[in-house]
Amino acid sequence: MAIVKPFKAVRPSRDKAALVSSKSYEAYTPAELGAKLNFNPFSFLHILNPDYKYHQEVSSEQRFQLVHKKYSEFKSNAYFTKDDKPAFYIYQNNTPTKSYCGIISATAAEDYHNNVIKKHEDTLQKREVLFEKYLKKTGFNAEPVLLTYPDNDVIENIIKKHQLERPEYEFATTDKNTHFLWVINHEEEINLISEAFKNVATLYIADGHHRTTSSCLLAKKLAAENKNHTGNEAYNYFMSYLLPESQVDIYEFNRFIRDLNGLTSTQFLEELGKVFQIKKKHQEIFKPSEKNEFSMYLDGEFYALSLKDSIYKITDELSKLDAQILFTTVLKPILGINDIRNDSKIVYSQNKSGSLELKTKVDTGEFKVSFGMLPATIDELKNIVDADLLMPPKTTFIEPKLRSALTIYEL
């Protein structure tokens, strides 16, 4: 049973929503970031970068304090106001090729600790601790975690009803996306949505593992520090964007390897041949068409690799995953990469735009060989998670990517 609650969001005024909201901070190049900060005084990026104009280094502690101060200034200037009533928020993002639409809500830290909200990848403790400190010092979170759930007719009908009404926000961005936001603050509809999610056994984290873990760690700490803790405090929840499974898009990551671990190309191909059927594709760009099939680019030529079923043994849900197969058959035993999260010999790149990057990056000479595969499916993700297993790092690149500061959750 998933606990999903409405909350009083802090939001930009209708006339400034397009100017205030931003992509995730990491999505901007330095040039783009500078342009936003120099020419858009309303951008939420000013809150995230309160020290940019000073051109000097500050500690994390100082920066978090400056973030809080700048956020307070935005509220004082009425760029942000807090809703009077708790609400759910329907957010729709139309890209040039697809429309995503789900509900922004408060979800329970308790559900994460009780395994109702499940993760599919591991997190780095250093990042967890840093973001936990950020949340505590700043007192808000502006980017929801992306959670997915089985498609639900009750929720879908409520969303469709509001999509016929004028949205609170409607604006386009320079990436050719159009954004819409509707506010649901009627008690009857709020109850219908909350009750519908009580019938959802599991919510799966699609994107935002560190934000989730940090929020839940902070909830435990603040509860322990609060002598009058009731469980209803804002810190017991974190902001999420709940999206039906049918709307989640998963893309794969390509793998680029800097050397062949002391092997010649001929020796490397001989080792691969023990586990894979190998077909040379020459200059033909090859992309896998089925599971357990991989593309490889080596010495100016593409190869198709097909797993020999008689050699590789399936032992659990994780061992069925192509990213895991590549690790256990090639990266670790042949190329000597044991720590795929931290080894500098391997680099990852999401493969939304096609397979040509497998060639171009290797042709520069920086890498010796590259590998591509089909993306994981939502069912693979769920099966692995439900078996209490975790996917390897850089297995899934998931869309939609969410904008910051359309709704802000205050702790």
Side-chain angles (χ1 to χ4, degrees), residues 381-393:
L381 184 153
K382 290 170 60 179
N383 290 341
I384 289 169
V385 170
D386 290 342
D388 294 325
L389 299 168
L390 295 173
M391 287 182 161

Side-chain angles (χ1 to χ4, degrees), residues 284-378:
E284 176 190 348
I285 297 175
F286 174 71
K287 182 174 176 63
S289 59
E290 58 186 41
K291 291 291 183 180
N292 300 350
E293 190 175 58
F294 302 85
S295 55
M296 182 179 77
Y297 186 76
L298 173 71
D299 293 340
E301 295 185 300
F302 280 95
Y303 293 82
L305 309 180
S306 298
L307 186 67
K308 294 179 179 179
D309 293 337
S310 60
I311 302 297
Y312 184 83
K313 301 301 180 184
I314 301 293
T315 57
D316 55 23
E317 291 296 331
L318 180 60
S319 66
K320 299 177 185 177
L321 188 70
D322 282 349
Q324 183 70 8
I325 291 171
L326 187 68
F327 172 65
T328 57
T329 61
V330 181
L331 300 182
K332 183 177 181 179
I334 301 177
L335 294 175
I337 299 172
N338 296 301
D339 184 354
I340 52 177
R341 183 182 296 276
N342 299 308
D343 196 319
S344 61
K345 286 174 58 175
I346 185 169
V347 172
Y348 304 89
S349 178
Q350 59 86 3
N351 189 36
K352 270 192 66 178
S353 55
S355 300
L356 186 59
E357 187 185 46
L358 290 174
K359 168 181 166 63
T360 56
K361 281 193 172 183
V362 172
D363 285 347
T364 65
E366 183 181 359
F367 302 99
K368 181 62 179 177
V369 64
S370 59
F371 297 93
M373 66 195 79
L374 287 180
T377 66
I378 190 68

